[in-house]
Amino acid sequence: MPFFSVVVPLYNKQNDIKATLLSALEQSFKDFELIVINDGSTDDSENQVLSLTDERLVYIKTKNSGVSQARNLGIEKAKGIYIAFLDADDYWYPNHLEILHELCKSFPEAGAVTTNYEFLHPGGYIENTLFNDIDTGYTGIVNDFFKSSLKYRLIWTTAVAVKKEVFKTIGDFDTQITLGAGEDTDMWTRIALKYPVAYNDIITATYRLEGGNRVSHAQTLKRVFAKLDKFKEEEKSNVSLQKFLDLYRASYALKHKLAGDDKTFRYYYKSINSLKNISGKTAFLLKLPAPLLRMFYQLKQQLKKSNIHFDIYN
């Protein structure tokens, strides 16, 4: 029984997957299996995976069913005590699993353990995170997961590991939610509501925003977003959770306004508990006519090309 089972969902990432898998296979901590779930790729992804030879590598090919189904299959096949996740175009530093292992041993009560991470933007710009109420260099159980996640999300999929037994309690990834539409947020919220989360401030993973076929606003109308209604009861007594989820409701509302889906925009806008839970600039953008909002969005995209980055949600 390996300590970790690393689950990698794969769909059409032929230019990224080999480097991603090598970053896992070159970990300083060796006690893991690496499960690649090829979710019906139509490019050269399969050959890139099969070019690697390592006894820890487990390759499973399925028909295309979506990222949540691929992760759930990986969880089902996993033999490890903890499940670590790695997206097919992201990267681990060599100490990633070692740091996670230390967290697992130091905080066995935690349902999930996670490290800090960085964003790699196109052009090489690196963006670092900042979590509310967590000091630089902190290691330990997080006091208020949702409050700490209001600017950046404390758990990001490629940086986290979850006890396999936790999934028996809270269930698998919701297959009704599509890629990039809140399937991971739904999972981490469910975990954080029932279990402590342990965190180490060392950056051990890179979220590659320059990776191939990242989800864009153009795909909004083809995706099914998390409704977040399932947490309404918990929100009544958890102010931090309410603020956290209202940020996502605002984000989903803006995405649908940009895509021209006024009905879904109104649904998410009306679902926001209070505009006081979101920033003034986000509230301003929510009230803009769609054509003007698209102009602001295009300006944001142009500024990115000059390595000028800002978040409209905070």
Side-chain angles (χ1 to χ4, degrees):
M1 179 185 292
F3 190 86
F4 290 110
S5 292
V6 180
V7 174
V8 184
L10 169 63
Y11 179 72
N12 287 357
K13 298 290 178 73
Q14 63 180 16
N15 296 325
D16 306 303
I17 185 60
K18 190 170 183 177
T20 295
L21 295 180
L22 285 173
S23 80
L25 294 171
E26 293 169 357
Q27 290 293 296
S28 57
F29 183 85
K30 305 296 184 184
D31 187 15
F32 67 91
E33 62 177 348
L34 181 60
I35 305 174
V36 180
I37 308 294
N38 186 347
D39 186 36
S41 294
T42 57
D43 63 358
D44 196 47
S45 291
E46 179 174 63
N47 289 330
Q48 294 298 314
V49 176
L50 296 179
S51 69
L52 299 173
T53 55
D54 192 294
E55 62 182 9
R56 296 169 295 178
L57 182 60
V58 179
Y59 178 69
I60 301 172
K61 186 176 183 179
T62 68
K63 66 177 182 179
N64 181 246
S65 301
V67 67
S68 291
Q69 189 62 50
R71 286 179 182 145
N72 290 343
L73 179 58
I75 293 168
E76 177 188 334
K77 298 296 184 182
K79 299 176 182 177
I81 303 169
Y82 284 79
I83 313 293
F85 297 96
L86 175 59
D87 283 349
D89 51 6
D90 292 326
Y91 177 89
W92 281 349
Y93 286 102
N95 63 342
H96 178 67
L97 289 181
E98 182 179 346
I99 299 297
L100 288 181
H101 180 255
E102 291 173 0
L103 283 171
C104 294
K105 291 300 184 181
S106 298
F107 306 99
E109 71 275 25
V113 297
T114 188
T115 63
N116 202 347
Y117 57 92
E118 63 191 5
F119 297 92
L120 177 60
H121 290 269
Y125 170 74
I126 294 178
E127 177 184 355
N128 292 316
T129 60
L130 180 65
F131 302 113
N132 295 333
D133 288 349
I134 295 182
D135 295 332
T136 300
Y138 178 77
T139 297
I141 297 295
V142 176
N143 181 49
D144 186 335
F145 174 84
F146 299 108
K147 183 178 181 180
S148 293
S149 299
L150 291 178
K151 182 170 179 59
Y152 293 93
R153 312 312 171 228
L154 191 71
I155 289 182
W156 162 55
T157 308
T158 287
V160 71
V162 180
K163 281 184 180 178
K164 186 174 182 181
E165 65 184 41
V166 165
F167 294 107
K168 296 177 182 178
T169 301
I170 63 157
D172 291 336
F173 285 89
D174 189 338
T175 57
Q176 299 303 307
I177 307 170
T178 50
L179 173 65
E183 81 289 346
D184 49 357
T185 300
D186 172 78
M187 173 59 74
W188 314 138
T189 301
R190 283 188 276 147
I191 290 176
L193 283 172
K194 289 187 176 295
Y195 297 92
V197 174
Y199 169 79
N200 188 307
D201 195 46
I202 296 174
I203 295 173
T204 66
T206 301
Y207 184 5
R208 294 185 61 245
L209 294 170
E210 61 179 2
N213 63 322
R214 284 285 181 188
V215 175
S216 68
H217 285 302
Q219 299 167 283
T220 295
L221 298 180
K222 300 178 182 178
R223 294 148 66 195
V224 179
F225 284 73
K227 297 297 184 185
L228 306 174
D229 296 341
K230 67 179 72 172
F231 305 114
K232 276 293 186 182
E233 194 61 35
E234 290 90 344
E235 287 181 84
K236 292 178 182 178
S237 58
N238 190 328
V239 175
S240 296
L241 172 65
Q242 184 185 110
K243 290 181 178 180
F244 174 77
L245 294 178
D246 276 354
L247 289 175
Y248 279 96
R249 294 180 178 113
S251 170
Y252 299 161
L254 286 172
K255 283 179 169 61
H256 284 89
K257 178 175 273 195
L258 283 166
D261 183 350
D262 190 57
K263 179 181 178 180
T264 308
F265 160 75
R266 289 198 306 272
Y267 166 79
Y268 281 111
Y269 182 75
K270 291 179 180 178
S271 296
I272 297 171
N273 290 281
S274 172
L275 291 180
K276 293 180 180 178
N277 289 336
I278 61 179
S279 71
K281 60 184 173 182
T282 304
F284 169 75
L285 292 171
L286 283 168
K287 294 180 181 297
L288 283 181
L292 206 54
L293 180 64
R294 294 189 189 102
M295 288 177 57
F296 272 98
Y297 178 72
Q298 291 300 324
L299 174 62
K300 182 174 183 282
Q301 298 305 104
Q302 290 298 319
L303 290 173
K304 276 186 178 181
K305 295 178 181 179
S306 301
N307 274 338
I308 300 173
H309 301 267
F310 61 91
D311 188 350
I312 65 172
Y313 301 114
N314 294 293

